[in-house]
Amino acid sequence: MSEHAPHPTPVTGPAFRERLSPGPAAWCGAVGLGVIVGVTLWPLAHTIAAVVGVLVAAATLAALVATAPVIEIADGRLRAGKAQIAVDLLGEVTTMDDAEAMRTALGPALDARAFVCLRAWARTGVRVDLEDPLDPTPYWLLSTRRPQELAAALAR
C-alpha cells in the first residue's frame, strides 16, 4: 500500500483588501509643494532650486504612499493600519456611502473612545461596532472608498 502526501490547503486571498492610497488632490499637493520650494530657492541657484523642488515632491509622494494604511479582512481578523481585531468580536456594520454621512460620524456623532482610521481623500467609510466587553472602544470608524464591499466582506 502506498502512502499519499496530504493535499495542501488551498491558499486563499483576503476577503477584502484596500490600500488607502492618496487621491489626485494629494498628488497635486505634493507636486505643488515641490514647486513652491523650487520657486523659493530659484533666486539663489536655478539648478539647485529645480533639483531640491523635485526631491521635495518625490519625498512627499513617497511619504504619502508609505503611510497609506491598508484595510483588510483575512485569517479571521479585520486590520486597519497597524490595528487589528478578530472578526468574531465585531457587531453591526454601518456604511457611510456619502461624504456628508462620514462628516457627521467624524463630527457631532463621534465617540472620543472610538478607533478611527481616517484618510481625507477617502470620503466614505464604515462604522463597525465592537462586542468585546473587555475593550472600552465602542466602535471602529474606517475610511474606505468601497464601503459596501467592506460591509459585505464583514457579513461573510
Side-chain angles (χ1 to χ4, degrees):
M1 194 173 237
S2 66
E3 291 185 35
H4 295 283
H7 294 290
T9 304
V11 177
T12 59
F16 179 89
R17 181 177 170 82
E18 177 184 14
R19 177 175 288 279
L20 295 176
S21 300
W27 293 101
C28 291
V31 171
L33 179 62
V35 169
I36 289 170
V37 169
V39 168
T40 303
L41 296 175
W42 193 259
L44 300 176
H46 300 327
T47 304
I48 292 174
V51 170
V52 171
V54 168
L55 290 175
V56 166
T60 304
L61 291 171
L64 287 171
V65 170
T67 60
V70 173
I71 308 295
E72 179 179 65
I73 302 169
D75 304 322
R77 303 195 69 76
L78 169 62
R79 293 177 183 85
K82 293 181 181 181
Q84 59 179 305
I85 189 168
V87 293
D88 59 351
L89 296 174
L90 303 178
E92 183 179 351
V93 178
T94 306
T95 60
M96 288 162 276
D97 296 316
D98 61 55
E100 186 57 37
M102 192 68 172
R103 215 176 356 261
T104 299
L106 286 165
L110 183 66
D111 185 325
R113 300 171 299 153
F115 169 75
V116 177
C117 183
L118 170 70
R119 288 301 180 266
W121 45 78
R123 296 178 182 233
T124 55
V126 297
R127 173 186 160 147
V128 183
D129 293 338
L130 271 59
E131 294 184 349
D132 182 358
L134 301 176
D135 191 341
T137 306
Y139 60 88
W140 282 20
L141 187 59
L142 309 174
S143 290
T144 177
R145 292 183 177 106
R146 301 170 8 221
Q148 294 297 331
E149 287 180 50
L150 178 53
L154 285 168
R156 284 178 261 175

